[in-house]
Every structure is written in C-alpha cells, then in structure tokens.
Amino acid sequence: MDRADYVIGASDVVRVTVWKNPDLSIDVPVRPDGKISVPLANDVQAAGLTATELKDVLTKALADFIAAPDVTVIVREINSKRVHVVGEVGRATAVPLVFDMRVLEAIAIAGGFSPYADESDVRILRPNPDGSVVEYRFNYNSFLRGKHPESNLLLQPGDTIVVPD
C-alpha cells in the first residue's frame, strides 16, 4: 500500500490540526457512516478520501469562519483495513493492514501456529462485493519446501485466515 495514497475508512482515527486554533484541533474517529465531526465544520465526509483530500475539504469548510485556515490531517490509527486470523494460532486477532502483508506474516503477528494447528490446510476467505466468498488454500509445509510460493497471498482488507486443527 502506498501510504501517500491511503484512503481513509470507517473506524480510522484522524488528527485534524488547525494552526493557531487549538480549540479546533482534535483527534476524531471516522464514524460508521464515514463522517467525522469537526468544530465549526460540523459533519464532514472523511471515508473514501485521502488525508490531502480531507485537508482540502476542511480548509474550504473552515474558510467561512477563519481567514486562510492552515489545516493538517494525519491518519493516527488505521482500523478500517484489517484481516482476521482465527483458529489454531497463538491468539486470534484482527491485524491492521498498514503495509503489504502476506498470509505467513499475518499468522506470525497472531503468534504463529499452535501445537494443534493443521499447517497444511490453512484457508484464506476473501469476501467479494456481491457477498460471495472466495476460498484460497495455503500449505505452510509445502511452502517451506519451495512449492507453491504463490499460495502465500498478498492479503486484502476483509480477508479472514482460518487455521484449522
């Protein structure tokens, strides 16, 4: 993921800073409807925008109240782009996709395989926009032997990795 082009999503937390206006500077979560509440600007659509695009929207909204507002937007927490790792791992968890990540990396972040894990039958469930789910397989032991390197998929937001016993 190119961080410069990161698109804000619901549940992310953004910091809005308005130079020389500390009362307008806040850390605010993006609501499920994709909006944030900012003093003077009220509810502003944030989801679907980059930080630069949100900065421009807020600058225009605040210009009615402040002469030449200098706004900065920083994404403080990435909560909208996650994959879930469940089953026989150290700890089931949601892993934020803050960089390009593959199946094996997500399993490692979840504490690795438990002693009871079936490492040869890991499944990656990927939801489609139409509600259907595509299933991929990852065989850790085969991967270690150099077979099927493509099975260590690049993960996408919403993927669920299931490690059976």
Side-chain angles (χ1 to χ4, degrees), residues 91-114:
R91 62 184 168 5
T93 188
V95 178
L97 283 178
V98 293
F99 56 86
D100 286 345
M101 185 181 304
R102 297 192 176 273
V103 174
L104 198 51
E105 292 168 301
I107 291 170
I109 290 169
F113 293 112
S114 81

Side-chain angles (χ1 to χ4, degrees), residues 53 85 141:
E53 291 168 338
V85 185
N141 297 316

Side-chain angles (χ1 to χ4, degrees), residues 41-136:
N42 296 320
D43 290 345
V44 176
Q45 183 67 35
L49 302 178
T50 65
T52 302
E53 291 168 338
L54 180 56
K55 169 192 182 263
D56 294 343
V57 168
L58 290 170
T59 299
K60 287 178 188 171
L62 293 173
D64 292 340
F65 305 97
I66 301 167
D70 186 357
V71 178
T72 302
V73 174
I74 299 169
V75 179
R76 298 242 329 157
E77 294 178 26
I78 297 174
N79 298 319
S80 63
K81 314 285 190 277
R82 294 178 179 245
V83 298
H84 292 84
V85 185
V86 298
E88 293 298 325
V89 289
R91 62 184 168 5
T93 188
V95 178
L97 283 178
V98 293
F99 56 86
D100 286 345
M101 185 181 304
R102 297 192 176 273
V103 174
L104 198 51
E105 292 168 301
I107 291 170
I109 290 169
F113 293 112
S114 81
Y116 308 106
D118 182 353
E119 300 168 355
S120 65
D121 194 25
V122 176
R123 296 171 189 179
I124 301 91
L125 307 177
R126 179 166 293 161
N128 287 321
D130 66 2
S132 64
V133 176
V134 177
E135 181 177 302
Y136 299 93

